[in-house]
Every structure is written in C-alpha cells, then in structure tokens.
Amino acid sequence: MNFETLKSFFKFTREQRTGVLLLFIIIIVLQLTYFFVDFSSFSPTSPEKEKWLSLQSQIDSLKQEKLDYVPKIYPFNPNFITDYKGYKLGMSVLEIDRLLAFRQQNKYVNSAKEFQAVTKVSDSLLYVISPYFKFPDWVKNKQEFKEYNKEYNKYPNTAFAKKEKMVVIDLNSATQEDLIKINGIGEAISLRILKYKESLGGFVSMEQMNEIWGLSPEVIENLNVNFKVSATPNVKKIDINNASIKELSTFPYFKYPISKNIVTFRSMNGDIKNIDDLTKIKGLSIEKAKIIALYLNF
C-alpha cells in the first residue's frame, strides 16, 4: 500500500467533517455532564430508606460520643479495690492479687507509695490513679503527726522538746474537748461516744470502744493510752427477771428479738441467776456477757 492509497482514507467531504465535529462535541458534553452532575439525587428512594437517612446524622453523633467517652473516676480507698475495679483502673491480675493477699493479713496501705510497694504497679499507672486515692482522716492526721514529730525532733535541746507528763482521764468524766484531742476523733465521733455513754448510763470497760462505729484500731489504741474506766459507774441496773420486753428493748445491748428471747427463757426456765444463764439466751453475745452483766440485777 503506497502513501497515496493511505491518504485517500483521510479525505472527507464537507458533510462528513461536520458530522465528525458534532460527534466530538457530543462526547465532550456527555463527559462534562457525567463529571459535574450527581445522578444519585435523581434515583428513587423508598420511605423506609429516607427515614434511615434522616437518622444517620444522629447515629454518627452517638458513635462519636461513644468513642470520645472517658469513664469518670471518683475518689476511692485503694484498700478496698475489687477485681472489677482494679481491671477498670488498668491493673493486671497479678497486681490485684498482691493487694488482696496483703488485705487478707488484715493490713492496710496508707499512702500511694505503700500501695505501689505492695502491688508493684508501674510509675505511669500510679501517676494516673493515685490522685483519686482517698484515705480516712485519721490516716492523714497520723501522717501529719509523724511529719511534725520529725521536725520537732530536729531540736532536742530546745525548751520545746520537754515532754509533759501524761494525765490519764476517766472515760466517764471525759468531755467532748478531751476526746477531740485524740488523733482520728472529730466532732461527729466524739458526740457518738458521748451519746453511747448516755444510753448505757456509763462505760464499765474500755472494751466498749470496739462497739462504736467509726473507730479504727489505731484510734482505739490511743483512747486506751489516754483514758481508762477508773471505777464501775453508778448505773441504773435493769431487773432482768421482771422487766417487760419493752423495758428490755430500751437497753442498747438488748434489741427486740433478744428481749423477746429473754422473756421466753424466763417463762420456760425460771429466773436468770447469773452470767452462765445469760449466755444460754439465743442471740446474746457470749463475748459481751461479762460486760452486759454489770448493767443487770439478777
């Protein structure tokens, strides 16, 4: 095939050239239309689909809120962390087990440093959770007292280092001001002690401090150092063999069920003669029988 033959294929008449130009213009218009026009808006949608589309923004908003949610941590005592609480805080199973084993020995951690020493948590985790540690007030007072003593002992030769002679006070004559002087006892607990003394008519033993809610072992120990029951107070004793259930129920150690059991015991066995008979009454604490007996007339 020579050049002249090949050239003949590209010879067009005027009508043919016009047709090729129009075809070229149509192709360009279609391409532009496809690029700039959103044909999805012309597609028919069902009512159900329109309903779901209207809720899509709300769904997206809720998903984002869930992703952005950070659980709020409230102040807590690290001595009572449970398995679930420890897991939520980011502690490992081994770290939680160390704390639980420590608590089973009836021991307590009193600072973030002690908590890390027991659990072996990392410094980074301790830095995150320690600001939420909340220890009892008596722990804070105890630590402040230790720091004060540390500073105080720096000057052993000063006049301020001279120790005053300790005066032990009879617990039954102690005032609220006397009780508040003990570390760990505030206004509320001191009033609770005085109110309990009033309901009993007086304390007969320092062991009764263990019955008052809110007193830690350390505070009870301080009370035993600074107070004592010098003599049995002159209390109004209860006639246990003649008192009614109502009269017995006014005594703090005898709630209604125990008072009812006392009356039942009397009707079936006769008078209650001594502590041994007292311990046979259902529901009555055997450990407290000696203390309770001091408030009774047999």
Side-chain angles (χ1 to χ4, degrees):
M1 182 181 295
N2 55 28
F3 179 75
E4 293 295 331
T5 305
L6 183 63
K7 186 178 179 181
S8 63
F9 288 106
F10 295 96
K11 290 182 178 180
F12 300 101
T13 62
R14 183 177 181 182
E15 290 79 6
Q16 289 174 334
R17 288 196 297 272
T18 303
V20 171
L21 180 61
L22 288 175
L23 180 61
F24 182 71
I25 293 173
I26 292 172
I27 293 173
I28 293 176
V29 170
L30 290 175
Q31 289 289 340
L32 293 174
T33 303
Y34 178 79
F35 184 78
F36 289 105
V37 177
D38 182 12
F39 291 95
S40 61
S41 61
F42 300 102
S43 60
T45 55
S46 62
E48 292 79 7
K49 186 175 181 180
E50 290 180 357
K51 184 177 179 180
W52 279 110
L53 290 173
S54 66
L55 296 174
Q56 188 62 44
S57 60
Q58 298 180 27
I59 295 172
D60 294 339
S61 176
L62 292 174
K63 285 182 179 179
Q64 189 61 42
E65 286 180 7
K66 187 175 181 181
L67 292 174
D68 296 339
Y69 173 73
V70 177
K72 186 175 181 180
I73 302 177
Y74 294 92
F76 62 93
N77 189 332
N79 287 292
F80 302 103
I81 291 178
T82 61
D83 290 337
Y84 178 74
K85 179 75 172 178
Y87 166 76
K88 296 292 287 183
L89 291 173
M91 295 175 64
S92 67
V93 175
L94 187 58
E95 292 167 348
I96 298 171
D97 288 343
R98 290 193 191 109
L99 178 63
L100 296 179
F102 181 78
R103 287 288 294 110
Q104 286 177 357
Q105 302 174 36
N106 199 28
K107 295 180 180 179
Y108 296 84
V109 295
N110 296 321
S111 66
K113 185 177 180 181
E114 290 182 14
F115 178 82
Q116 186 179 34
V118 171
T119 60
K120 312 296 184 187
V121 297
S122 64
D123 292 339
S124 58
L125 179 58
L126 185 70
Y127 176 79
V128 173
I129 65 177
S130 59
Y132 301 99
F133 287 178
K134 182 179 181 181
F135 297 100
D137 292 338
W138 66 265
V139 172
K140 182 179 179 182
N141 293 335
K142 185 178 179 182
Q143 291 173 344
E144 291 177 351
F145 182 72
K146 286 182 178 179
E147 292 176 0
Y148 170 78
N149 278 343
K150 187 176 180 181
E151 292 295 323
Y152 183 78
N153 290 331
K154 289 181 179 179
Y155 311 98
N157 296 324
T158 63
F160 298 102
K162 185 178 179 180
K163 294 183 179 179
E164 295 182 1
K165 185 178 180 180
M166 182 182 296
V167 178
V168 180
I169 303 173
D170 189 326
L171 184 60
N172 286 306
S173 61
T175 64
Q176 185 179 11
E177 289 75 18
D178 294 329
L179 294 170
I180 289 178
K181 292 178 182 178
I182 303 299
N183 285 332
I185 295 182
E187 183 177 352
I189 294 181
S190 61
L191 288 175
R192 195 178 301 153
I193 294 173
L194 295 175
K195 185 176 180 180
Y196 192 50
K197 181 186 73 173
E198 183 180 353
S199 66
L200 290 169
F203 294 116
V204 298
S205 171
M206 290 299 296
E207 293 181 14
Q208 290 174 290
M209 295 298 96
N210 295 295
E211 301 165 9
I212 298 174
W213 180 82
L215 292 181
S216 68
E218 288 79 5
V219 175
I220 292 175
E221 183 179 348
N222 288 337
L223 282 170
N224 282 300
V225 171
N226 293 276
F227 299 93
K228 67 178 180 179
V229 177
S230 302
T232 303
N234 186 21
V235 298
K236 183 179 179 181
K237 296 190 176 184
I238 299 174
D239 187 353
I240 194 169
N241 290 309
N242 295 296
S244 64
I245 294 178
K246 184 177 180 180
E247 291 170 335
L248 291 170
S249 298
T250 60
F251 185 48
Y253 288 107
F254 295 158
K255 301 303 180 183
Y256 178 81
I258 297 178
S259 301
K260 187 176 180 182
N261 291 339
I262 291 172
V263 174
T264 302
F265 182 89
R266 287 186 333 213
S267 64
M268 297 179 64
N269 302 281
D271 287 350
I272 299 171
K273 301 179 181 62
N274 49 43
I275 296 177
D276 291 336
D277 289 342
L278 201 63
T279 59
K280 297 175 184 177
I281 297 172
K282 183 179 178 182
L284 194 143
S285 174
I286 298 175
E287 293 78 9
K288 298 178 182 178
K290 290 183 179 180
I291 292 176
I292 295 173
L294 297 174
Y295 293 95
L296 304 177
N297 274 328
F298 294 102

